[in-house]
Amino acid sequence: MFRKSRVLSPHWYRLPVVRSRERVIHFAIRVAAGISLLITIGIVAILLSQSILFFGNAEVTLRSFFLDTVWQPLIGRFGIVPLLNATVMTSLIAVLTAMPVGLCVAIYLSEYASERARAILKPTLEILAGIPTVVYGYFAIAFITPLLRILFGIFEEHAVQPYNTASAGLAIGILILPLIISLIEDALSAIPNSLREAAYGLGANKLQTSLQVVVPAALSGIVAGFILALSRAIGETMIVALAAGAGPNFTFNPLKGAETITGYIVRISGGDIAYNTPDYNSIFALALVLFLATFILNLISRRVVSHFRESYNE
């Protein structure tokens, strides 16, 4: 009886080296994941600890913090409503401005644009994404606000103030435009060509296929892009710090100035405030509110994607 010999790979002597490298790579990946997790835990711990100090003050209660419409730390009024209202206004203006434009540009890039047009538009969008946000803030002050004054200045009751949430929201809309275009274009490009070919076979033209077949099929990605852009707009700092206003103001008029949460954090952080005072600790409570808001938006985005996700076979 002859024993069957085992055929060895010509590179059998390299297997231990390859396996050791794979172990090193796996270890490095785990370390990187652990570091990111520890950083997140550290941020949450700092926000919670400082927020507990803020809410432990006798002048602050949860009821007054979330329901009071006045934010004046000097007299002990810590109502987040004016700051939250200005934050929501600027974010909604930004998203409602950027979303239609971004959707149209994404449809053009995905369904209509030639390779030459893509080669021109893609770098342009990357330039918009790379401009510092402080430049957008001065752009809002120097260009958008005078333009709004030309459009609405003729109405005395709607006079545009030098600092207003409308100009800040429009500037943020320009800022998040590349993000929206990129996310929606990826969602549209992921739709199989078999759906487009089926629509053409039924007699649909290019526009009908794009709007009635491709866009509904990519609805989950479009909605997720909308929510992620909203969370990006909520966290924007420099534009609102420069263009929105430097004082809390509970108003629903976007042509008037009103300070947002991030704008207040920037103003207080750069001021001369004693450590461990209610005014100082309030910035951590406001930062915790922003963190929870963006966290909830990300959860909603993931839920929407998982709910509307559909599998297509090529």
Side-chain angles (χ1 to χ4, degrees):
M1 296 292 297
F2 291 96
R3 205 169 174 185
K4 187 177 180 181
S5 61
R6 186 172 56 182
V7 179
L8 297 178
S9 171
H11 303 289
W12 60 270
Y13 56 89
R14 296 185 180 178
L15 290 179
V17 177
V18 173
R19 289 172 180 172
S20 62
R21 289 178 180 176
E22 289 180 353
R23 293 193 189 99
V24 172
I25 294 173
H26 291 168
F27 178 75
I29 292 173
R30 290 178 180 178
V31 170
I35 291 174
S36 62
L37 181 61
L38 290 176
I39 291 174
T40 304
I41 293 174
I43 292 174
V44 174
I46 292 296
L47 293 179
L48 285 176
S49 62
Q50 297 296 326
S51 298
I52 290 173
L53 293 177
F54 172 71
F55 289 110
N57 192 284
E59 299 178 354
V60 183
T61 62
L62 287 175
R63 185 177 182 276
S64 63
F65 182 74
F66 288 105
L67 298 180
D68 194 356
T69 58
V70 177
W71 182 278
Q72 291 184 3
L74 294 178
I75 61 174
R77 300 288 296 274
F78 294 93
I80 195 177
V81 175
L83 301 175
L84 187 62
N85 178 69
T87 302
V88 172
M89 275 204 307
T90 54
S91 302
L92 288 180
I93 291 173
V95 174
L96 294 178
T97 302
M99 195 64 190
V101 178
L103 179 60
C104 294
V105 175
I107 292 174
Y108 172 75
L109 290 175
S110 175
E111 305 299 321
Y112 291 92
S114 61
E115 291 298 329
R116 183 177 181 181
R118 286 170 176 270
I120 296 175
L121 288 176
K122 284 288 188 178
T124 304
L125 294 175
E126 292 175 359
I127 291 174
L128 285 178
I131 295 176
T133 57
V134 65
V135 176
Y136 283 107
Y138 284 110
F139 175 77
I141 296 174
F143 179 79
I144 299 179
T145 297
L147 181 62
L148 292 177
R149 284 190 164 185
I150 294 174
L151 296 176
F152 300 101
I154 58 176
F155 303 103
E156 187 63 30
E157 65 273 14
H158 297 294
V160 180
Q161 294 184 354
Y163 302 98
N164 56 85
T165 56
S167 62
L170 292 174
I172 297 175
I174 300 173
L175 173 68
I176 65 175
L177 189 59
L179 174 64
I180 292 178
I181 294 173
S182 177
L183 292 173
I184 296 179
E185 186 196 0
D186 291 341
L188 296 175
S189 300
I191 302 303
N193 287 327
S194 57
L195 293 180
R196 299 179 178 86
E197 294 170 358
Y200 296 146
L202 293 174
N205 56 31
K206 191 77 170 178
L207 182 61
Q208 292 173 334
T209 302
S210 300
L211 298 182
Q212 300 180 16
V213 176
V214 178
V215 171
L219 183 61
S220 62
I222 295 174
V223 175
F226 175 85
I227 298 175
L228 290 176
L230 179 60
S231 99
R232 174 66 180 87
I234 289 176
E236 175 51 37
T237 303
M238 288 308 302
I239 294 177
V240 295
L242 293 172
N249 183 21
F250 184 51
T251 177
F252 293 99
N253 187 354
L255 302 180
K256 293 184 178 180
E259 192 170 41
T260 64
I261 293 178
T262 53
Y264 174 80
I265 293 175
V266 170
R267 181 168 63 87
I268 296 301
S269 300
D272 188 12
I273 298 178
Y275 177 76
N276 203 20
T277 59
D279 201 1
Y280 174 82
N281 292 332
S282 67
I283 64 178
F284 294 96
L286 296 174
L288 181 62
V289 171
L290 284 179
F291 177 83
L292 293 176
T294 54
F295 180 73
I296 292 172
L297 287 174
N298 287 333
L299 288 181
I300 294 174
S301 174
R302 292 176 62 89
R303 194 67 179 267
V304 168
V305 170
S306 62
H307 183 268
F308 288 100
R309 180 178 294 159
E310 297 180 17
S311 298
Y312 299 98
N313 296 322
E314 290 285 358

